[in-house]
Amino acid sequence: MEYRHLGKSGLKVSEIAYGNWITHGSQIEEDAARACVQAALDEGISTFDTADAYAGGHAEEVLGRALKGVRRESVEICTKVYWPVGDGPNNSGLSRKHITESLHNSLRRLGTDYVDLYQAHRYDYETPLEETLRTFDDLVRAGQALYIGVSEWRAEEIESALRIAGQMGLDRIVSNQPQYNMLWRVIEPEVVPVCQREGIGQIVFSPIAQGILTGKYQPGAAPPAGSRATDEKSGARFISRWLTDDVLTAVAGLPALAAEAGLTPAQLAVAWVLQNPTVSAAIVGATRPEQVKDNAGAAGVRLDPDLLGKIDTLLAGVVTRDPSRTESPRKRP
Ligand SMILES: NC(=O)c1ccc[n+]([C@@H]2O[C@H](COP(=O)([O-])OP(=O)(O)OC[C@H]3O[C@@H](n4cnc5c(N)ncnc54)[C@H](OP(=O)(O)O)[C@@H]3O)[C@@H](O)[C@H]2O)c1
């Protein structure tokens, strides 16, 4: 494994991080979740990503149990707050009340006294940014969160957070967690330049587009049994946006390019996001330990510019680059 600084902070994260959205507490049984976490640890993956809302809190519980007994100082545990965890008006968003309560509950479920990175899962247009940043700063001072980050914030929202933190003398955010993969490049025009200038690290999600970039989904064919596209609990709904003939036909050329580079398709996809210098880590999900091992093989890989050009040519018609596609709900969900 290779490790990178999270932006310009002193924290190091593993280039390949392990995330448990859709899987822990939902798609896979607990023994499979534990096997994946163990495989991650065996590969030198130290960075684990979850959220309060994943599987109604069960994802944090499963991860907490899977990491029980692991030396706390050997891992970075990252969680998030924003999406609803209950029906009440204060059970979502980034108010002082909800952030404080949600972290309290996350720590209990994870079985830890602090998280390494606490992230605003989206931007909350219903809460003054000053209130959110002051609350995060208080949690950092209390030692319950060591670093603060955001997820899917626009360039101007990241800039506002940095400006206000500077003016109020509050802890600065160190990271952003956007979706980023060969097909979804909306951070490149605006978010990446701001983050590069300000030393904010990208800890990117869905680097293999939920499995689409592994070559296992073929145009016109039924999805393979046990894959996310067959997970009726939630996975099938989220991956469906990628299951179009256009996308599947374009990505069908990737396995051959990966083979030329001596990589598996998943390794090529994960290595691709890591070529961007503002990316600190790629968070990959998995349902089986073999997938974790496969994905971890992308650490330290350098891709030839010629290969990057071939990927661009292959995917030219199906890449999304519009920066306005980075968005948070206008009203709290
Ligand atoms: N901040 C946010 O809003 C946000 C949103 C989404 C995700 N995330 C984070 O990012 C993490 C990863 O995202 P993700 O799960 O959507 O996307 P992903 O990592 O692109 O896809 C993961 C899925 O692809 C399949 N897979 C993984 N490795 C494979 C391999 N080597 N070969 C074949 N199939 C493989 C597995 O599903 P099957 O085996 O079921 O096919 C796995 O669950 C999440 O767990 C979460 O921590 C954050």
Side-chain angles (χ1 to χ4, degrees):
M1 187 48 55
E2 308 256 333
Y3 303 86
R4 296 185 182 187
H5 279 278
L6 186 55
K8 69 175 183 189
S9 81
L11 183 70
K12 286 206 170 179
V13 290
S14 48
E15 282 190 345
I16 316 301
Y18 174 88
N20 74 356
W21 177 57
I22 296 206
T23 55
H24 290 195
S26 183
Q27 185 188 356
I28 61 174
E29 297 297 331
E30 185 144 350
D31 54 354
R34 280 173 191 263
C36 287
V37 169
Q38 188 55 52
L41 294 168
D42 292 345
E43 292 297 327
I45 290 173
S46 59
T47 306
F48 292 84
D49 183 75
T50 185
D52 56 353
Y54 291 173
H58 294 303
E60 286 184 333
E61 288 171 352
V62 172
L63 182 63
R65 285 195 290 270
L67 289 175
K68 200 165 180 206
V70 173
R71 198 166 64 90
R72 182 64 185 83
E73 297 84 348
S74 66
V75 290
E76 301 81 49
I77 300 178
C78 315
T79 194
K80 316 185 197 79
V81 57
Y82 171 86
W83 292 107
V85 294
D87 296 335
N90 285 312
N91 296 162
S92 64
L94 300 176
S95 68
R96 171 174 284 270
K97 177 171 171 63
H98 182 57
I99 292 176
T100 305
E101 290 171 348
S102 189
L103 182 57
H104 185 82
N105 290 327
S106 288
L107 294 177
R108 178 178 41 76
R109 288 189 292 257
L110 287 162
T112 182
D113 297 332
Y114 63 93
V115 292
D116 296 273
L117 179 67
Y118 198 41
Q119 303 157 102
H121 213 152
R122 289 295 182 274
Y123 192 88
D124 180 4
Y125 296 102
E126 296 189 48
T127 302
L129 195 44
E130 289 83 353
E131 175 179 336
T132 296
L133 295 175
R134 170 72 79 194
T135 308
F136 279 148
D137 187 72
D138 287 345
L139 298 173
V140 170
R141 283 167 199 262
Q144 292 180 319
L146 306 188
Y147 296 89
I148 296 302
V150 300
S151 173
E152 290 288 19
W153 282 28
R154 290 171 179 254
E156 63 269 23
E157 293 162 351
I158 292 171
E159 285 178 309
S160 297
L162 295 171
R163 181 174 38 77
I164 291 170
Q167 287 165 350
M168 294 175 68
L170 304 174
D171 207 52
R172 272 170 65 99
I173 57 170
V174 300
S175 64
N176 178 42
Q177 186 179 131
Q179 178 173 184
Y180 187 49
N181 56 52
M182 291 176 188
L183 297 169
W184 192 258
R185 307 187 191 181
V186 305
I187 58 169
E188 288 179 352
E190 295 178 359
V191 169
V192 165
V194 166
C195 289
Q196 188 139 30
R197 188 184 73 218
E198 299 290 345
I200 305 296
Q202 313 288 333
I203 169 164
V204 307
F205 74 77
S206 302
I208 57 174
Q210 305 193 42
I212 297 292
L213 300 174
T214 65
K216 68 181 174 189
Y217 298 103
Q218 307 287 331
S227 63
R228 181 170 296 187
T230 63
D231 171 38
E232 292 305 331
K233 273 192 220 154
S234 70
R237 181 159 59 92
F238 287 104
I239 199 175
S240 62
R241 57 188 287 214
W242 296 120
L243 294 171
T244 65
D245 276 349
D246 282 359
V247 169
L248 297 184
T249 304
V251 302
L254 289 171
L257 293 182
E260 270 179 43
L263 300 169
T264 66
Q267 288 167 349
L268 177 66
V270 177
W272 185 91
V273 302
L274 289 167
Q275 304 308 296
N276 184 315
T278 72
V279 172
S280 303
I283 316 171
V284 199
T287 55
R288 290 185 271 288
E290 308 82 79
Q291 293 176 345
V292 179
K293 197 168 167 16
D294 182 11
N295 303 334
V301 169
R302 295 286 163 265
L303 299 178
D304 192 86
D306 187 45
L307 173 59
L308 295 174
K310 286 184 190 168
I311 293 171
D312 287 348
T313 305
L314 186 70
L315 302 181
V318 291
V319 174
T320 304
R321 298 176 189 274
D322 176 3
S324 72
R325 301 293 296 277
T326 296
E327 47 189 358
S328 299
R330 295 311 299 184
K331 290 197 77 64
R332 273 186 211 156

